[in-house]
């Protein structure tokens, strides 16, 4: 049987499984475990250990049809300015609970489109964050940037606040594909943005691409890949298009008849991976590429790669505190998600409450499974020795699931006393294999496709 037929028979095209940027995944979070867990976990943070901070900006000037992110369109800055005021209040509430003088090792602004903020709001937000959290000497500050909604003044403001990494949205450069996803973005505009970022001293640039978009063909993809490589990014994220119109209603504007079929989609991912590896990038986890001297590639080679809500990272801060509507905090004892809709988030903050609306408190078994799934997503292997050193006898609860994975995926998975390892040919099945270790997989949630 051809390799692709074998992967298909094992569920590559039919399975719908999480992307495991957390375990358990957000659909498992419960309303009764929101604010109270957040209050406790914030108060219990270790004052000597730096935290990571995530800020969600749920606004865009345009709403691209393919986008599944939590955001809303606005042509006016007044709701954005009001939202910055709410973030300031939320930061002030949190500062009254956390240990004083907490340091910040990482800061990420995501969205939506953080670059919708004009320079004065960039400075206002940065000041409010740094009043609560003191950056460490080697802190990293990354920002998601829409090249069509940024200019030199905004870039200078971000650079002055310490931005060290920029993540630019590209998706695809082909005009037909861009038309079909409601996102016009000429190559020259993107190139100018990259030049402005480099001129402002930003040394690390990530480019987001998506395969599986309407009208993508190998010829069009080739052109996009050449254009992307001409911009010399340091990292590339190559996401499979998650078509989830029941969740992201704007995707209903996408004509499903124009989406590439299963095998074409698989071939597009392979074509892009080959081009990046030929250009000297190292493949990282299931969907990232990085220059070999990039910290992500170095971490991947030494099994130090981690996974969080922003995808792959070298961040080892044990707590990530999320601010803004829908943002998720990860604490040593569990996850808490802020109210997802902006009005509900604003209402909570204005009532003087914490914004956490749902969450999940981790048991020891959850921590064990979370680490095992993270190992699969990052290293394509479960290091059973490391798990038994960390979790002792508890690690034996994984045994039936490891056996199940070995039986289900045959020689694409090796299982012995030391490791469960995915064979390189089986890597397209990584999310599916990880899902075998998921004890919370909700029956009713509809995830995106496994490939
Ligand atoms: C929150 S968006 C921010 C990007 C920024 N606003 C821009 O447009 O350039 C982050 C990334 O998520 C990815 N993304 C959004 N919706 C997606 C989907 N349905 N499937 C796969 N990736 C998606 C895109 O690559 C996008 O650049
Ligand atoms: S891709 Fe970026 S600009 Fe487009 S809707 Fe999503 S967050 Fe907004």
């Amino acid at each position: 049987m051809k390799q692709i037929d074998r992967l298909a028979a094992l569920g590559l095209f039919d399975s719908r499984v999480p992307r495991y940027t957390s375990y358990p995944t957000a659909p498992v979070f419960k309303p009764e475990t929101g604010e109270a867990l957040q209050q406790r976990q914030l108060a219990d943070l270790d004052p000597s250990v730096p935290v990571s901070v995530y800020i969600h900006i749920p606004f865009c000037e345009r709403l691209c049809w393919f986008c599944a992110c939590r955001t809303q369109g606005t042509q006016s800055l007044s709701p954005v300015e009001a939202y910055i005021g709410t973030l300031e209040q939320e930061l002030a509430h949190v500062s009254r609970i956390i240990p004083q003088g907490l340091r910040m090792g990482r800061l990420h602004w995501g969205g939506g489109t953080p670059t919708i903020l004009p320079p004065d709001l960039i400075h206002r937000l940065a000041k409010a964050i740094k009043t609560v959290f003191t950056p460490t000497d080697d802190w990293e500050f990354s920002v998601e940037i829409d090249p069509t909604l940024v200019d030199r003044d905004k870039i200078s403001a971000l650079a002055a606040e310490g931005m060290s990494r920029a993540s630019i949205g590209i998706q695809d450069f082909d005009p037909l594909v861009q038309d079909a996803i409601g996102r016009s973005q000429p190559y020259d505009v993107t190139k100018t943005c990259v030049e402005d970022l480099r001129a402002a001293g930003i040394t690390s640039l990530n480019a987001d691409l998506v395969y599986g978009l309407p009208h993508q063909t190998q010829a069009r993809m080739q052109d996009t890949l050449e254009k992307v490589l001409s911009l010399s990014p340091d990292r590339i994220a190559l996401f499979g298009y998650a078509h989830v119109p029941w969740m992201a209603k704007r995707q209903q504007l996408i004509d499903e008849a124009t989406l590439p079929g299963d095998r074409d989609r698989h071939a597009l991912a392979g074509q892009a991976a080959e081009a990046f590896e030929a250009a000297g990038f190292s493949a990282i986890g299931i969907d990232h590429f990085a220059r070999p001297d990039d910290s992500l590639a170095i971490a991947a080679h030494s099994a130090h790669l981690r996974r969080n809500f922003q995808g792959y990272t070298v961040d080892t801060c044990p707590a990530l505190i999320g601010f803004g509507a829908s943002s998720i905090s990860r604490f040593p004892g569990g996850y808490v998600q802020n109210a997802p809709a902006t009005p509900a988030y604003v209402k909570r903050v204005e009532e003087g409450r914490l914004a956490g609306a749902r969450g999940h408190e981790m048991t020891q078994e959850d921590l064990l499974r979370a680490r095992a799934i993270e190992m699969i997503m990052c290293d394509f292997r479960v290091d059973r020795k490391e798990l038994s050193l960390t979790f002792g006898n508890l690690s034996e609860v994984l045994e039936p699931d490891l056996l199940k994975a070995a039986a289900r995926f045959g020689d694409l998975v090796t299982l012995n006393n030391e490791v469960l390892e995915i064979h390189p040919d089986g890597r397209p099945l990584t999310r599916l294999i990880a899902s075998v270790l998921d004890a919370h997989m909700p029956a009713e949630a509809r995830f995106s496709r496994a490939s």
Side-chain angles (χ1 to χ4, degrees), residues 14-145:
D14 305 329
S15 308
R16 300 289 178 265
V17 281
R19 296 169 46 80
Y20 291 114
T21 51
S22 72
Y23 175 80
T25 55
V28 171
F29 299 172
K30 296 277 180 301
E32 55 275 21
T33 320
E35 205 174 341
L37 179 64
Q38 188 177 15
Q39 172 83 31
R40 249 184 303 132
Q41 292 288 320
L42 285 169
D44 286 351
L45 286 172
D46 181 342
S48 66
V49 181
V51 294
S52 292
V53 174
Y54 173 74
I55 305 283
H56 192 71
I57 308 290
F59 295 98
C60 298
E61 232 176 60
R62 59 174 176 189
L63 280 181
C64 315
W65 305 343
F66 80 99
C67 181
C69 301
R70 275 225 169 247
T71 188
Q72 65 200 73
T74 177
Q75 295 304 313
S76 141
L77 271 182
S78 59
V80 182
E81 187 162 6
Y83 183 79
I84 297 300
T86 311
L87 280 172
E88 286 170 331
Q89 285 183 58
E90 189 190 10
L91 280 153
H93 293 333
V94 167
S95 76
R96 288 190 280 273
I97 302 169
I98 57 176
Q100 289 314 294
L102 205 55
R103 285 163 311 141
M104 168 171 66
R106 308 257 158 181
L107 171 62
H108 183 83
W109 291 6
T113 302
T115 49
I116 198 168
L117 302 180
D120 59 323
L121 290 185
I122 290 174
H123 291 306
R124 214 176 112 186
L125 177 57
K127 184 170 171 215
I129 299 166
K130 290 175 190 170
T131 305
V132 179
F133 302 99
T134 312
T136 57
D137 291 344
D138 60 349
W139 78 307
E140 282 193 11
F141 174 22
S142 47
V143 182
E144 290 171 18
I145 288 180

Side-chain angles (χ1 to χ4, degrees), residues 352-374:
R353 300 167 61 187
L354 286 170
R358 20 195 320 261
H360 179 86
E361 189 159 6
M362 298 291 270
T363 63
Q364 279 301 306
E365 183 176 332
D366 289 333
L367 292 169
L368 164 73
R369 289 181 184 274
R371 181 67 193 121
I373 287 176
E374 186 182 39

